[in-house]
Amino acid sequence: MNKDTSHFATKAIHAGQEPDPTTGAIMTPIYQTSTYVQEYPGKHKGYAYARGKNPTRSALENCIAALENAEFGLCFSSGQGASDAIIKMLRPGDEVIATNDLYGGSYRMFTKIFEPFGIKFHFVNMYDAKNIRNFINANTKMLWVETPTNPTMQIIDIKACAKISKENNLIFVVDNTFASPYLQNPLDLGADIVMHSVTKYLGGHSDVVMGATVTNNKDYHEKLAFIHNSCGATPGPMDSFLVLRGIKTLHVRMDRHCQNGKVIAEYLKAHPKVDKIYWPGFPDHPNHDIAKSQMRDFGGMISFTLKNATVEETFAMASKVRVFCLAESLGGVESLLNHPATMTHASIPKEEREKAGVTDTLIRLSVGIEDINDLIADLKQAIG
Ligand SMILES: *Cc1c(COP(=O)(O)O)cnc(C)c1O
């Protein structure tokens, strides 16, 4: 696929999609089929069996690749399916250096599924990218970075990580779920592979679970595509259609997520009952300057704790919200409130969690695109 050079909003609506050649339908049809008829054995239109390829999915893969300025894209049946395929590029004895403040499911998969197969993981504080160098040895093959981190919104310097990766021949992977391609394009900053939980901002409507990988490296793409088809974590055409539709408003949604996020972050920061607050848009955020240089805006993800609050008091506040919904996940149009220690990050041992700042009283918000006055009023009545 050739690179699409149009601007983001145009790509979000058109990239990878052509009117249907048989009917002129402007929307890519949902090709609900498992197989394709061949003219004679081996002669077909590029589609043989739908685990390998489906036209609705191909349109989506090309669209997401275009949004990340990538040549190649693949969609998976979940973000975890995408991460699983990336780690399967490695072999027993290989080592991975990963961000310490990591999505809980990634941590669980790395330690519980892949460590028993002989792949070793180091979980490293990357606030200063130089820390990474202390963990590199002859077996190190991959650098896995999540930024902003989940849930403490640390910012990791993608360019500095790319430099370290190049010097040491590592495959540099960025989980770009939190920023979305609208706010950050890691491949442009030197990453080799970007993965997404498409479930979040890309899908955007809390109705699909999906993942994606994009890259400009043909060899990595071919390895991933081989694993994709061989292992089979591929999404169906209906879900692909829903995400194609969701992405058409990604830029508009993201602008509102950022706008509402800023108002709420500032409201919480000024609130006398709020103790710690994590949002990369504050000038006193430890890596604010890096955030400013590698992101277009700061997003709608915010974490905070209440002053001197016990776990019970934190839970009481969390169950008082009425516009925010108490739920896992993020990136949908609805505002969500999450308690990482018991919800998204429950699979990380308490000691590891707390080292990364994920205490039992930490609350994470995914600020949606409702009316800001209703969101503020809701927090006001819940926090008191
Ligand atoms: C949700 C999430 C994942 C996992 O994606 P699923 O679609 O739930 O499988 C990976 N990374 C991050 C940062 C996430 O938020």
Side-chain angles (χ1 to χ4, degrees):
M1 189 217 157
N2 287 327
K3 277 199 195 178
D4 187 330
T5 54
S6 48
H7 294 93
F8 193 93
T10 309
K11 289 195 281 195
I13 294 166
H14 296 292
Q17 299 154 74
E18 295 289 342
D20 176 42
T22 51
T23 63
I26 193 161
M27 279 303 295
T28 305
I30 303 161
Y31 286 90
Q32 195 72 49
T33 189
S34 63
T35 192
Y36 309 85
V37 177
Q38 308 195 4
E39 220 170 287
Y40 55 83
K43 180 156 194 272
H44 54 72
K45 298 180 163 70
Y47 295 92
Y49 182 61
R51 186 182 63 241
K53 254 176 116 183
N54 176 287
T56 319
R57 189 203 309 156
S58 300
L60 175 62
E61 290 172 338
N62 291 334
C63 180
I64 294 177
L67 296 181
E68 285 286 16
N69 302 324
E71 208 151 338
F72 309 105
L74 290 169
C75 286
F76 291 80
S77 51
S78 66
Q80 290 305 92
S83 300
D84 173 75
I86 295 170
I87 303 296
K88 282 177 180 156
M89 294 167 76
L90 303 175
R91 292 292 172 263
D94 288 351
E95 297 191 9
V96 180
I97 300 174
T99 311
N100 65 340
D101 183 18
L102 200 64
Y103 171 68
S106 306
Y107 179 88
R108 178 175 57 191
M109 180 167 60
F110 294 173
T111 55
K112 296 285 200 299
I113 305 292
F114 284 111
E115 274 185 1
F117 283 96
I119 297 172
K120 191 168 174 191
F121 295 85
H122 302 272
F123 298 95
V124 175
N125 182 331
M126 299 181 179
Y127 160 70
D128 185 345
K130 281 206 293 291
N131 290 346
I132 295 166
R133 291 188 195 276
N134 302 331
F135 295 86
I136 296 178
N137 62 44
N139 297 325
T140 313
K141 294 287 156 58
M142 185 176 281
L143 175 61
W144 185 287
V145 166
E146 206 180 298
T147 181
T149 69
N150 176 9
T152 63
M153 312 301 153
Q154 280 182 61
I155 299 294
I156 295 162
D157 187 338
I158 297 174
K159 268 191 190 160
C161 290
K163 183 164 182 284
I164 296 168
S165 293
K166 295 256 156 10
E167 285 166 12
N168 294 281
N169 256 330
L170 311 180
I171 304 173
F172 176 24
V173 183
V174 175
D175 179 339
N176 201 28
T177 301
F178 261 44
S180 89
Y182 184 63
L183 298 184
Q184 178 172 278
N185 295 122
L187 297 180
D188 293 349
L189 302 167
D192 297 309
I193 299 172
V194 165
M195 71 84 34
H196 277 284
S197 170
V198 172
T199 315
K200 317 295 168 52
Y201 286 110
L202 280 163
H205 295 74
S206 310
D207 51 8
V208 175
V209 170
M210 195 188 287
T213 60
V214 297
T215 181
N216 279 316
N217 182 311
K218 191 155 190 271
D219 176 41
Y220 294 163
H221 171 70
E222 281 171 0
K223 283 196 172 110
L224 287 168
F226 185 76
I227 298 166
H228 186 240
N229 182 42
S230 305
C231 297
T234 58
M238 181 70 201
D239 282 358
S240 302
F241 172 85
L242 286 169
V243 175
L244 267 177
R245 179 197 223 264
I247 286 177
K248 288 179 192 291
T249 54
L250 177 64
H251 48 298
V252 184
R253 287 186 281 111
M254 289 312 296
D255 279 342
R256 184 60 66 85
H257 283 296
C258 291
Q259 243 177 355
N260 283 356
K262 182 173 195 299
V263 175
I264 288 178
E266 283 165 358
Y267 169 77
L268 291 172
K269 189 161 189 161
H271 198 295
K273 287 195 182 164
V274 171
D275 185 15
K276 293 200 173 67
I277 171 145
Y278 303 94
W279 182 66
F282 292 127
D284 62 355
H285 178 284
N287 275 340
H288 176 69
D289 289 342
I290 296 168
K292 255 185 20 195
S293 72
Q294 69 188 20
M295 298 174 74
R296 294 183 192 92
D297 204 339
F298 304 112
M301 296 302 298
I302 302 165
S303 297
F304 69 99
T305 60
L306 295 177
K307 262 184 203 145
N308 305 318
T310 61
V311 175
E312 292 68 31
E313 286 160 348
T314 304
F315 281 15
M317 188 271 289
S319 31
K320 263 199 220 152
V321 288
R322 292 293 170 264
V323 183
F324 279 84
C325 296
L326 178 61
E328 300 203 13
S329 198
L330 63 112
V333 289
E334 317 78 1
S335 292
L336 303 181
L337 182 149
N338 165 62
H339 181 247
T342 57
M343 296 165 72
T344 46
H345 291 64
S347 48
I348 303 181
K350 188 175 165 81
E351 194 190 332
E352 282 295 317
R353 253 199 293 118
E354 296 203 333
K355 263 197 263 169
V358 189
T359 60
D360 287 345
T361 56
L362 188 74
I363 291 292
R364 187 189 80 184
L365 302 179
S366 169
V367 177
I369 62 172
E370 299 94 337
D371 189 287
I372 187 61
N373 297 300
D374 295 327
L375 295 177
I376 293 281
D378 193 33
L379 291 174
K380 198 173 246 171
Q381 64 80 23
I383 298 172

